[in-house]
Amino acid sequence: MKTYSTARMLAFAALLGLAPGCKSFLDKDPLGTVTQVNLFNDATNAVQAVNAVYEVAGWDQGPKFGVGDFVTVHFEWMFGDILSDDAEKGSSPTDFGAVSEIKNWSVPTTNLIVASLWTHSFTGIARANTVINNIDAGSIDAALKSRLKGEALFLRAYFYFNLVKTFGGMPLFEQAVLPTEAGNVKRSTIAETYAFIEKDLKAAAALLPEKGAYASSDLGRATKGAANGYLARVIMYQLGTDNTNNHTWQEVYDLTNTVITSAQYSLYPNYAAIHQDIGENSSESVFEIQFAASNDSYGPISTGTANNVFQNNRATFGYGFNNPTQSLYNEFEANDPRREVTFIKNGDVVLGVANTVDPGFNATGYLSRKVAIGAPPAPQSASQNVRKLRYADILLMKAEAAAQLGRNSEAMALVNQVRARARVSTRPPGTTVGSTAYAPANVPAGTLPDITGLSGAALLNAIWHERRVEFGEESLRYWDLVRTGRYFSVLPADVAARARTHSITTGVVNPIPLLPIELQDTQTWGIAQNPGY
Amino acid sequence: MRAFLQTAAVLVCSTSVALAQQRTVQGVVTDTKGEAIPGATILVKGTTTGVTAGADGKFQLGLPDGASTLVVSSVGSKTQEVAIGSKTDFRITMDADAQSLNDVVVVGYGTARKSDLTGSVASVSNAQLTQVATADPVQALQGRVAGVDITANSGQPGAGTRIRVRGVGTINNSDPLYVVDGVQTGDINFLLPTDIESTEILKDASATAIYGSRGANGVVIITTKHGKAGKTQFNLFGYTGFQEIRRQLPLTNAQQYATLVSEAYTNDGVVVPADLTPLLNSALTGGATGTDYQKLVLQKGLITNYSLSASGGTEQNRYLISGNYFQQNGIIQQSGYRKYVVRLNDDATLTKFLKAGVSATFTNSNQTGGLDANGNTGYSTVLQNAIQANPISSPYNADGSYAYNNITSFTPNLARYLTEQQYNKTGNTTLFTSSYLDVALFKNLSFRSTFGINYNNFHPKVYLPQYYLGPNDRRTQSTLIETRNENISWVWSNYFNYNKTFADNSNLSFTLGQEAQRGYGSGISVTGYDVPLDASLQYISSARAANSTIRSSQYDGSLLSYFGRANYNFRDRYLVTGTLRFDQTSRFLGSNRTGVFPSVGAAWNISNENFLKDVAAVSQVKLRASWGRVGNQNAAPNYGYASTAVNNQNYVFGADQSRAPGLAIATLSNPALKWETAETGNIGVDAAFLDNKLTFTADYFQRTTKDMIALLPVPDYLGQAPASANVGTLRNRGLELALSYRNEIGKLGYNVGVNFTKINNVITDLGGANPIASGNTQIGFTTRTDVGREIAYFYGLQALGVFHTQDEAASYVSAGGTRIQPTAKAGDVKYQDTNGDGKIDATDNTYLGSATPSFTYGASLNLSYSNFDFKILLYGVQGVEALNAAAINLDKSSAIANIWTNFYADRMERWTPSNPNSNQPRMTSAATTNDALSSRFVENASYLRARNMELGYSLPRTVIDKFKINGFRVFASVDNVFTVTKYRGLDPEISSSGYYGNPLAYGVDYGNYPQPRTYRLGFNVQF
């Protein structure tokens, strides 16, 4: 029986052996990842949490939330240029019909471009909310904390602004939305949405440093100037659309003036170089989305963009979309060097290479030269930054405010600053084969003369003309047309008729055409759909 | 294994009386045909003295004093008693008994006589498992057992199988637990069907609750083949054959395609786009047939399996060694699978009271063509692309180079795409080991410790070469994705078994134990760019681009458990079982960590009552009832309670535009996550009549899954991926019937088996959450999961045919007199205004059917005549719908996403002014609602499939004796002989693998890789 006892002892020892280690045996921390709890206790992690918000602003395509299903591409030009009289869809007639749907105002609720803009914007808002709501409890340095919070507030406003001008009043989220709240969420009005954006931008302006206060390695982050500039733009847009918040042009005047007097910005001397490598984050840059070439062609890991690849010549490395129109071509005054910087015609030499514009893949005979850069390593990994707010826009916004306030000479002086810079522009880089040099434009005397003696509607028209040619193919035209009440008149009759059925027309300064909210969130989650969809 | 266990029981008890032997007898045990029955147990009646027959059926036995009768038993044979008298040499012939209730079956942490069970347990034998040609032991179970629904993930070689025990138990992971030789595991793909001795499927809580948190979806217990004492026995098995597709879809040829597309534009008075015109015109005028893309990608694929084993040993030490090779080329070019399995096991009696055993299985498999471009497994898109490609394009230019296709340019050039599949490989290596130590402590008490450790290395590799055909069909830079995932899991179980039989045939047994489990692993995936095409350079080290991408994944989880079971059998009539298990898991926090899982079961062996004992026609009748609660911890992700940051959210800052990495909380968190539990009630009856020739089993059950964990879909405006949450309740109620009959008419032996399963699946609560939409296709979500209906039903508009005339369209008006479809023209689809609001929109979406069947059934027939045998296995699914997502494109009325993909050939019967009675919509280039998600794309997917037919011939005894071999059989076999179905897709057997296993995409068919028809010839020889 002795052996039996031994065996029994062994067996019980085996049973008991694990008991003391129970707790540590079962306590497992997530491996290899930071959690929301400790994200803001480390300066590097906190900065990276904010980087991840910018990252969403740079998504023109990618998976849902950065982890889920693929959603298609969306670019600002698909709205700002395509919806206007400045651009046709381009490429072959059958290529990427979802863009045609937008161009024609016959957009089904299944259109993937609007779904992508919707999903990505809210992903950005959620990530901004992670920072805004958790950073105060973190143990990092107070100065860094306030800057990072300012950046997140700016970006939340940036995403909401993109949403409100495209889709109208939005559900407003100060906090992360709980899944239990989903489905009970209601859209706020357009005015409430704008008020929310303004509140964020004002808070951001108070927290953020000026551009010059950032280290050179932080170039590209949101600044006090960017927050004030965007606030001016947000107010100016309300003045022409839904001004329930009773804004005045004086506010636009004051805000743009604040940016100008901050002495952080100046017009970049050569207009032809603004969209080139050398013009990235230049003295003129108030805010731009940053990209760098990347081997990773897809998803959040990629640092590149397909933005300019989509718009480039099919004959080189592009897809040939977003073709500038004859109407825009004709808008330029004689010999304005900005026209050549904006357009590629058949046979033009671009960056030292002769370009053929194939009519089978082009709708107007033109392509945008502002996006012509060298071929990227992969289609989705181009490096060109997208300029979102230039100092020239600050000047022209102030000019428009001054004109509206009757300060005509001040308005004209501001426009003339922009015209003076245009006058001295060179030709775009690489206009002779094999060269990438900036050839002189040899503008004849009298080109782009200073405007003088204008007032009232004539002055406003001159400013709007200047905006159209200065910002040609920079995705601002559609919003300018809407807020100035000129939109439907530039559309073909059938398109205008359809656009009107999707517009808010009561209680507004000018009708506000709206695109549809994606099918899923209206069908399954009860978000109210826009008119006519 | 069963025989082994019987033997073991005999041997344990026999030691104490071994010295009392007086004389020795010998003999041989054979079946009615005179073939040896290896492993039969020969016991001296009234004692515990006995032996096991060797592989040749021979035995030697020392008789104790007073021995008068031998009791001879063997699995599958009727037990018989033989008077000893003065004989010393016995020739014992056993009658076959396929369905004996006295069989010993393996249950959780022990074995039991089938007649002693209070739970619902089904058994499948090795012969049944190896009837169908597959490398997958789960697929081999299809059609065999009531209540067990098996669907191949796809016909892709090596793609795996979806198994559901008693319906879909949760909207999350519904996979059962596998227990291989006592060791729990989540996957048995490392085995081949030929390695398995027997399979038991535990279905109700009385049987599964002993596995607690892992038992909710049923338990599949696998006993692998082990060595038996005797002279070394060799077994060589092999077959070879080929596979082909069951059917190609009838699609339009070039001329038909061009006719339809041209008509779409002319119908609306729209000019055909300039890039389309020349292509369409040449197809129209030339009467061209164009390219048959299905033919381009399909092939007849070779299938081969060889297996050689050697087993034998002494009573003290028994072994088995086997090697197995399986190879399958697939029915799509560049798809294939190879699997090598080496097994080794040894069972030893160490001392009078100590026994031990070890077994190891090493498996290496290689799959070709099963990955998508991101390295995800089981998602081949070759055939999907082939049925969408437009027939007027040719994959080749006149000079033989790959052509660029402008019309469906987002469909890659298939000829080129096919060649790329050869660089798409998944390697998988597993070493699965288990070992045990048995200690006989006292007469009725034993202790067993089992330790199993499983190592798996999974390494997909995808190479995507650089090419340029055109702007939408090109790859600027070659890419190589190489992944290494290493997973280790171990289970250590320690338990006591007590078993006491009383004089009145009553029996008391209990099991008490403890168990620890841990699973951990890590994976690294490297993506390199600009890697040369040269096969010897397709490695990360030859990447020429400066940057590469590295990702890693890692996890660690553990489970600590205590369990107990008590059985009481009163005079072989009344049986009671109770089990209780406590589980603590690392997947949850705090008080949610512990789960308690009880069960009780009772049974009444009516046939052992005096009033039935002497009724000859009734062999067995037993009533069973059970209730229990089991958990499903696999529904919860490893760190589901925490909000973790995802890295690699890269942006750019600075004058030098350098990469600025970002960290995002991309997923919501839920610290309150807790166990998902299933409560199961079961009543059943087991009966056998006419000397066990007719057997019958029926079960009725209800399983309610509570606190169901799910990744609840969230609106996109939430901006974060959903968290796991305990959201709902799901109920499965079902009826299972199994009936078999066997008999002989002269030389003709036959055995008929049928089984039937009906399960009613309903979501009873979603915690107030919104209905869950899933199964996304090019036209939106297709399924909805909502309270009051079965899981993932199809949800869309109800189509009511087409408007045959303009008048008909104009007169389709609401109660208020306004047109319901104001823009509809003759030839457009008419939809039901379900909510009666006078217009058609998303609020008119309604229930359109689901992939949950009304019932499923299986039937088998085995015939034997002289030396010939014939088998047939049928499997059917009735009352089931499928969403033919491929047909959304193939039945389109207008271009979807502006792309004109191919059509079903019967689109030629569309509505036209000259064919106004058609019920198929007109062609149009304008935006219409014709192709909205509707009942047009929901089809009856019921089917009856002949899974296998096999004819075999065994050489007669006289011939094999001459060649000194023990057995030789040849066979010819056809799998998936025929399928009766109305479904228009490639295969009505649809799994959700096209959606990365999403259970809510149940029955959505994107053009799954279909089940092939397989023809093969094989042999089996023992020597």
Side-chain angles (χ1 to χ4, degrees):
Chain A
M1 279 298 130
K2 199 182 160 207
T3 11
Y4 282 92
S5 309
T6 314
R8 213 159 45 211
M9 289 299 288
L10 273 173
F12 280 115
L15 265 181
L16 297 171
L18 281 160
C22 286
K23 195 166 156 45
S24 59
F25 186 68
L26 292 169
D27 284 335
K28 309 277 187 193
D29 283 324
L31 301 176
T33 55
V34 178
T35 64
Q36 189 161 316
V37 180
N38 49 23
L39 193 55
F40 297 99
N41 291 337
D42 176 282
T44 306
N45 286 345
V47 169
Q48 292 205 356
V50 175
N51 293 350
V53 194
Y54 284 99
E55 152 66 2
V56 178
W59 284 355
D60 35 43
Q61 65 180 334
K64 251 187 205 182
F65 320 123
V67 291
D69 305 335
F70 173 78
V71 290
T72 196
V73 294
H74 69 90
F75 301 106
E76 181 73 12
W77 55 260
M78 290 177 171
F79 313 100
D81 292 330
I82 293 289
L83 280 171
S84 79
D85 55 349
D86 270 6
E88 292 294 337
K89 188 203 73 167
S91 185
S92 64
T94 49
D95 193 5
F96 210 168
V99 184
S100 300
E101 291 169 351
I102 290 175
K103 177 76 196 168
N104 296 323
W105 278 102
S106 55
V107 193
T109 55
T110 50
N111 182 292
L112 292 173
I113 296 170
V114 296
S116 172
L117 173 67
W118 174 267
T119 305
H120 283 168
S121 298
F122 278 108
T123 303
I125 289 163
R127 290 186 180 189
N129 277 334
T130 300
V131 178
I132 295 163
N133 293 313
N134 295 300
I135 196 165
D136 288 341
S139 60
I140 58 167
D141 171 66
L144 179 62
K145 206 184 266 186
S146 85
R147 186 199 95 196
L148 293 175
K149 192 173 181 182
E151 291 180 69
L153 285 163
F154 171 84
L155 288 165
R156 187 166 73 182
Y158 170 88
F159 289 117
Y160 265 120
F161 182 47
N162 282 339
L163 287 169
V164 70
K165 61 186 183 174
T166 315
F167 301 113
M170 284 294 105
L172 300 174
F173 303 126
E174 291 263 19
Q175 308 265 333
V177 202
L178 298 175
T180 48
E181 295 163 1
N184 301 317
V185 166
K186 295 278 172 287
R187 292 174 67 176
S188 300
T189 64
I190 292 181
E192 286 161 356
T193 308
Y194 275 119
F196 186 91
I197 294 167
E198 289 170 40
K199 171 184 66 68
D200 278 359
L201 286 173
K202 282 174 187 159
L207 291 166
L208 286 171
E210 290 285 10
K211 187 177 180 183
Y214 272 114
S216 127
S217 60
D218 281 325
L219 213 56
R221 291 188 181 276
T223 60
K224 193 184 287 293
N228 283 322
Y230 260 87
L231 189 54
R233 188 182 264 183
V234 163
I235 291 170
M236 185 174 78
Y237 197 66
Q238 286 178 77
L239 282 165
T241 54
D242 180 336
N243 197 23
T244 311
N245 293 327
N246 295 316
H247 285 295
T248 63
W249 281 102
Q250 185 65 44
E251 292 172 77
V252 178
Y253 182 89
D254 292 342
L255 283 162
T256 48
N257 197 50
T258 305
V259 178
I260 293 167
T261 56
S262 72
Q264 301 287 321
Y265 307 98
S266 62
L267 290 175
Y268 192 67
N270 184 7
Y271 184 87
I274 291 172
H275 288 90
Q276 300 301 316
D277 250 9
I278 195 169
E280 298 205 329
N281 297 316
S282 71
S283 64
E284 182 160 353
S285 171
V286 182
F287 188 62
E288 62 190 63
I289 303 296
Q290 314 285 313
F291 292 106
S294 163
N295 279 315
D296 299 298
S297 60
Y298 173 79
I301 194 169
S302 167
T303 56
T305 177
N307 181 54
N308 55 335
V309 178
F310 263 80
Q311 299 177 71
N312 254 281
N313 194 350
R314 198 89 170 191
T316 56
F317 63 90
Y319 300 158
F321 288 97
N322 199 28
N323 305 145
T325 58
Q326 191 63 39
S327 159
L328 175 61
Y329 192 87
N330 296 343
E331 182 83 13
F332 286 87
E333 293 161 54
N335 302 315
D336 185 340
R338 289 178 294 189
R339 175 151 67 191
E340 194 184 12
V341 174
T342 308
F343 281 82
I344 297 170
K345 301 190 302 295
N346 188 29
D348 277 358
V349 177
V350 181
L351 295 170
V353 178
N355 269 232
T356 312
V357 177
D358 177 351
F361 294 98
N362 193 284
T364 64
Y366 301 116
L367 288 155
S368 166
R369 198 189 293 246
K370 284 180 176 171
V371 290
I373 47 112
Q380 293 87 10
S381 57
S383 67
Q384 190 185 33
N385 289 359
V386 177
R387 280 64 167 170
K388 291 286 181 184
L389 181 56
R390 291 203 273 123
Y391 186 58
D393 201 353
I394 301 285
L395 295 178
L396 290 177
M397 280 196 280
K398 188 180 178 192
E400 196 169 333
Q404 293 279 7
L405 295 167
R407 300 174 191 176
N408 295 343
S409 57
E410 193 181 348
M412 286 184 283
L414 287 159
V415 175
N416 288 335
Q417 274 190 57
V418 173
R419 290 170 70 83
R421 190 267 302 265
R423 221 177 288 145
V424 300
S425 175
T426 64
R427 298 183 67 192
T431 43
T432 52
V433 173
S435 158
T436 52
Y438 293 85
N442 299 323
V443 177
T447 300
L448 293 174
D450 279 356
I451 57 169
T452 54
L454 297 177
S455 66
L459 178 54
L460 282 176
N461 279 326
I463 294 167
W464 295 342
H465 157 77
E466 203 59 43
R467 289 187 68 87
R468 190 177 186 194
V469 295
E470 173 71 18
F471 305 124
E473 296 290 287
E474 292 185 42
S475 312
L476 291 173
R477 172 72 175 167
Y478 165 66
W479 318 110
D480 275 348
L481 286 170
V482 170
R483 73 175 174 84
T484 55
R486 296 173 292 156
Y487 182 52
F488 300 109
S489 63
V490 305
L491 296 179
D494 58 329
V495 179
R498 279 194 295 273
R500 280 183 201 279
T501 66
H502 301 302
S503 296
I504 295 178
T505 51
T506 54
V508 294
V509 184
N510 288 304
I512 310 168
L514 297 173
L515 288 165
I517 290 173
E518 61 157 18
L519 183 63
Q520 185 203 317
D521 281 5
T522 54
Q523 183 184 287
T524 308
W525 301 99
I527 285 288
Q529 186 54 279
N530 281 329
Y533 293 106
Chain B
M1 182 68 187
R2 289 177 215 168
F4 158 73
L5 288 162
Q6 286 173 324
T7 313
V10 168
L11 288 168
V12 169
C13 306
S14 65
T15 46
S16 56
V17 289
L19 292 172
Q21 295 170 13
Q22 294 284 312
R23 67 183 176 110
T24 302
V25 294
Q26 60 176 14
V28 62
V29 185
T30 66
D31 63 16
T32 48
K33 289 177 196 156
E35 293 194 29
I37 298 181
T41 304
I42 301 96
L43 198 66
V44 178
K45 190 174 183 180
T47 73
T48 50
T49 305
V51 290
T52 307
D56 50 4
K58 289 180 180 161
F59 68 91
Q60 267 200 330
L61 176 63
L63 297 178
D65 275 343
S68 63
T69 310
L70 293 178
V71 180
V72 186
S73 62
S74 174
V75 177
S77 302
K78 270 191 282 186
T79 301
Q80 63 170 297
E81 299 187 359
V82 180
I84 298 171
S86 57
K87 270 167 81 177
T88 54
D89 200 354
F90 292 85
R91 187 164 183 92
I92 300 163
T93 306
M94 305 284 284
D95 284 332
D97 182 5
Q99 293 284 338
S100 170
L101 285 166
N102 286 318
D103 282 358
V104 170
V105 294
V106 184
V107 295
Y109 307 99
T111 59
R113 282 193 306 163
K114 192 147 194 192
S115 58
D116 285 353
L117 293 175
T118 60
S120 178
V121 176
S123 304
V124 180
S125 72
N126 167 261
Q128 292 173 307
L129 288 173
T130 50
Q131 190 178 340
V132 172
T134 175
D136 185 339
V138 180
Q139 193 176 11
L141 292 168
Q142 192 181 49
R144 294 295 184 185
V145 182
V148 179
D149 174 40
I150 286 156
T151 311
N153 275 343
S154 89
Q156 170 87 36
T161 313
R162 172 187 186 275
I163 174 167
R164 294 293 171 261
V165 177
R166 294 191 155 176
V168 180
T170 163
I171 53 183
N172 220 288
N173 187 328
S174 291
D175 293 336
L177 170 70
Y178 298 98
V179 181
V180 178
D181 292 339
V183 176
Q184 297 165 51
T185 179
D187 180 24
I188 52 166
N189 210 13
F190 63 90
L191 289 171
L192 278 167
T194 44
D195 296 327
I196 296 173
E197 177 73 35
S198 71
T199 300
E200 261 84 35
I201 297 166
L202 315 186
K203 297 193 281 192
D204 73 343
S206 174
T208 66
I210 192 87
Y211 287 107
S213 65
R214 299 186 70 178
N217 293 313
V219 179
V220 179
I221 297 191
I222 306 275
T223 306
T224 62
K225 286 182 178 161
H226 276 242
K228 288 167 189 155
K231 205 177 78 184
T232 303
Q233 167 107 352
F234 294 93
N235 191 332
L236 178 62
F237 170 79
Y239 63 75
T240 189
F242 69 91
Q243 303 192 294
E244 62 179 18
I245 195 164
R246 180 176 72 90
R247 70 186 285 246
Q248 289 189 29
L249 294 187
L251 303 176
T252 53
N253 64 27
Q255 188 183 8
Q256 293 168 322
Y257 172 88
T259 307
L260 291 172
V261 174
S262 307
E263 187 178 302
Y265 291 98
T266 50
N267 268 352
D268 295 288
V270 173
V271 181
V272 178
D275 49 342
L276 265 178
T277 317
L279 288 163
L280 293 178
N281 287 347
S282 80
L284 281 173
T285 53
T289 53
T291 308
D292 180 347
Y293 278 96
Q294 294 183 84
K295 207 170 146 191
L296 183 81
V297 302
L298 291 168
Q299 68 176 8
K300 280 196 168 123
L302 186 73
I303 183 167
T304 309
N305 186 187
Y306 293 105
S307 141
L308 175 65
S309 70
S311 68
T314 63
E315 292 301 337
Q316 272 65 45
N317 195 353
R318 300 167 303 280
Y319 68 89
L320 179 140
I321 308 167
S322 78
N324 224 320
Y325 170 70
F326 179 89
Q327 189 239 330
Q328 187 182 0
N329 278 351
I331 55 172
I332 294 174
Q333 291 170 43
Q334 310 289 1
S335 72
Y337 189 63
R338 271 164 213 271
K339 189 166 171 178
Y340 306 85
V341 183
V342 178
R343 296 186 63 245
L344 184 69
N345 62 54
D346 193 90
D347 297 285
T349 305
L350 302 177
T351 71
K352 279 178 185 174
F353 53 88
L354 269 188
K355 288 192 296 165
V358 288
S359 77
T361 305
F362 178 85
T363 306
N364 177 262
S365 68
N366 290 290
Q367 187 192 34
T368 304
L371 302 166
D372 71 4
N374 295 318
N376 295 305
T377 50
Y379 195 64
S380 166
T381 54
V382 172
L383 202 54
Q384 291 175 20
N385 284 318
I387 60 181
Q388 303 293 343
N390 80 70
I392 60 174
S393 67
S394 164
Y396 301 105
N397 293 316
D399 62 0
S401 59
Y402 297 126
Y404 178 58
N405 162 13
N406 243 326
I407 303 171
T408 44
S409 57
F410 288 93
T411 307
N413 179 311
L414 274 169
R416 189 208 62 76
Y417 186 63
L418 258 185
T419 64
E420 177 177 310
Q421 300 305 310
Q422 66 181 298
Y423 312 123
N424 172 333
K425 292 191 180 296
T426 308
N428 205 337
T429 303
T430 302
L431 179 60
F432 187 95
T433 70
S434 67
S435 53
Y436 68 87
L437 182 70
D438 260 339
V439 188
L441 293 172
F442 297 107
K443 194 177 171 200
N444 299 313
L445 182 66
S446 64
F447 170 78
R448 187 176 176 104
S449 182
T450 304
F451 183 76
I453 184 159
N454 180 6
Y455 171 88
N456 171 259
N457 188 315
F458 175 68
H459 41 107
K461 176 174 178 176
V462 187
Y463 175 71
L464 303 163
Q466 186 271 335
Y467 72 96
Y468 184 91
L469 299 182
N472 287 324
D473 195 1
R474 63 171 179 175
R475 191 175 291 117
T476 318
Q477 199 176 33
S478 58
T479 305
L480 176 68
I481 309 169
E482 245 195 291
T483 305
R484 287 279 186 288
N485 285 315
E486 196 174 69
N487 305 296
I488 294 169
S489 63
W490 57 255
V491 184
W492 187 21
S493 320
N494 301 287
Y495 55 96
F496 295 92
N497 276 326
Y498 175 83
N499 192 326
K500 181 155 176 65
T501 304
F502 302 96
D504 60 354
N505 263 345
S506 295
N507 179 287
L508 174 68
S509 68
F510 64 82
T511 301
L512 190 65
Q514 169 273 349
E515 185 173 81
Q517 302 182 47
R518 184 170 170 222
Y520 55 101
S522 62
I524 287 185
S525 177
V526 182
T527 308
Y529 301 93
D530 195 8
V531 177
L533 181 63
D534 188 330
S536 64
L537 294 176
Q538 284 178 17
Y539 295 93
I540 293 291
S541 55
S542 51
R544 291 170 295 195
N547 297 327
S548 52
T549 307
I550 300 170
R551 294 173 177 83
S552 84
S553 61
Q554 48 279 314
Y555 70 96
D556 185 357
S558 50
L559 199 60
L560 190 63
S561 318
Y562 301 91
F563 55 88
R565 173 176 53 211
N567 286 309
Y568 183 64
N569 173 347
F570 180 68
R571 293 183 178 173
D572 254 351
R573 288 173 210 168
Y574 309 102
L575 307 157
V576 188
T577 306
T579 68
L580 189 62
R581 180 161 175 136
F582 295 92
D583 274 340
Q584 291 176 285
T585 179
S586 62
R587 294 199 185 185
F588 307 122
L589 297 175
S591 60
N592 293 328
R593 175 167 280 173
T594 305
V596 181
F597 306 102
S599 84
V600 288
W604 180 25
N605 266 327
I606 308 175
S607 47
N608 288 349
E609 296 284 358
N610 291 331
F611 59 86
L612 267 181
K613 222 168 189 167
D614 300 322
V615 181
V618 179
S619 315
Q620 295 266 5
V621 179
K622 182 169 74 167
L623 294 180
R624 292 178 276 109
S626 72
W627 175 90
R629 185 185 294 143
V630 263
N632 180 20
Q633 86 146 1
N634 278 345
N638 261 312
Y639 306 115
Y641 54 81
S643 244
T644 56
V646 184
N647 70 343
N648 273 328
Q649 308 286 317
N650 297 330
Y651 195 64
V652 176
F653 285 119
D656 58 353
Q657 295 280 280
S658 54
R659 167 144 71 166
L663 279 172
I665 308 290
T667 307
L668 297 156
S669 69
N670 181 10
L673 197 64
K674 61 178 180 188
W675 295 95
E676 173 177 309
T677 54
E679 275 185 21
T680 306
N682 190 91
I683 51 171
V685 56
D686 296 319
F689 306 98
L690 307 173
D691 214 7
N692 282 328
K693 285 191 178 100
L694 177 68
T695 66
F696 172 71
T697 296
D699 278 281
Y700 176 80
F701 68 90
Q702 169 168 315
R703 174 165 57 145
T704 307
T705 307
K706 292 178 174 168
D707 295 324
M708 195 159 57
I709 296 171
L711 226 46
L712 193 63
V714 291
D716 286 346
Y717 60 68
L718 216 109
Q720 283 177 298
S724 298
N726 299 90
V727 291
T729 308
L730 181 151
R731 190 187 66 212
N732 281 292
R733 276 185 186 148
L735 179 67
E736 298 167 356
L737 303 172
L739 186 70
S740 84
Y741 183 72
R742 66 173 175 78
N743 209 344
E744 281 158 21
I745 307 168
K747 273 183 158 178
L748 177 71
Y750 62 96
N751 186 340
V752 190
V754 290
N755 64 71
F756 169 91
T757 308
K758 177 169 178 55
I759 293 174
N760 176 303
N761 173 285
V762 64
I763 305 268
T764 54
D765 182 21
L766 270 182
N770 280 292
I772 305 166
S774 193
N776 208 357
T777 65
Q778 61 271 53
I779 53 170
F781 291 116
T782 55
T783 73
R784 186 177 170 106
T785 297
D786 196 5
V787 174
R789 293 276 193 190
E790 64 268 35
I791 194 163
Y793 62 87
F794 303 124
Y795 188 66
L797 294 172
Q798 181 69 47
L800 306 170
V802 302
F803 295 110
H804 298 113
T805 61
Q806 191 63 42
D807 282 353
E808 210 178 291
S811 60
Y812 185 44
V813 292
S814 67
T818 55
R819 281 186 66 180
I820 292 172
Q821 288 175 250
T823 58
K825 295 184 174 134
D828 280 337
V829 177
K830 179 181 181 180
Y831 293 109
Q832 177 177 298
D833 181 17
T834 310
N835 63 2
D837 66 352
K839 58 182 188 200
I840 301 297
D841 57 20
T843 60
D844 291 308
N845 283 346
T846 185
Y847 177 88
L848 299 176
S850 80
T852 303
S854 301
F855 62 90
T856 60
Y857 55 99
S860 64
L861 171 68
N862 291 358
L863 301 175
S864 62
Y865 185 83
S866 180
N867 291 311
F868 287 94
D869 59 86
F870 176 76
K871 297 184 233 184
I872 180 165
L873 173 63
L874 301 172
Y875 179 64
V877 176
Q878 197 62 34
V880 63
E881 283 81 36
L883 193 118
N884 189 345
I888 294 171
N889 279 324
L890 297 175
D891 271 336
K892 66 192 162 298
S893 164
S894 56
I896 291 180
N898 276 61
I899 297 173
W900 288 110
T901 53
N902 207 349
F903 302 88
Y904 269 125
D906 63 10
R907 279 295 285 146
M908 295 307 289
E909 292 150 28
R910 75 229 168 264
W911 185 95
T912 60
S914 56
N915 185 25
N917 293 325
S918 169
N919 264 324
Q920 285 221 35
R922 69 192 173 105
M923 293 302 304
T924 171
S925 61
T928 66
T929 56
N930 289 344
D931 300 327
L933 182 66
S934 74
S935 51
R936 279 181 69 206
F937 308 118
V938 178
E939 296 184 25
N940 178 351
S942 301
Y943 66 93
L944 165 63
R945 174 163 277 178
R947 278 291 285 150
N948 173 269
M949 258 186 216
E950 181 172 306
L951 179 65
Y953 175 76
S954 303
L955 285 182
R957 192 92 226 153
T958 50
V959 179
I960 61 171
D961 281 350
K962 212 156 80 187
F963 290 101
K964 304 268 186 246
I965 55 177
N966 295 331
F968 187 87
R969 176 174 177 265
V970 289
F971 63 93
S973 190
V974 187
D975 291 348
N976 299 322
V977 188
F978 62 83
T979 303
V980 182
T981 185
K982 288 181 180 154
Y983 183 61
R984 296 188 306 149
L986 286 164
D987 194 336
E989 185 175 339
I990 300 156
S991 190
S992 49
S993 67
Y995 287 86
Y996 301 98
N998 177 359
L1000 302 185
Y1002 189 24
V1004 183
D1005 177 17
Y1006 242 134
N1008 266 1
Y1009 196 129
Q1011 291 298 307
R1013 182 177 294 137
T1014 307
Y1015 302 87
R1016 61 198 165 109
L1017 290 171
F1019 67 93
N1020 191 358
V1021 53
Q1022 289 110 26
F1023 54 92

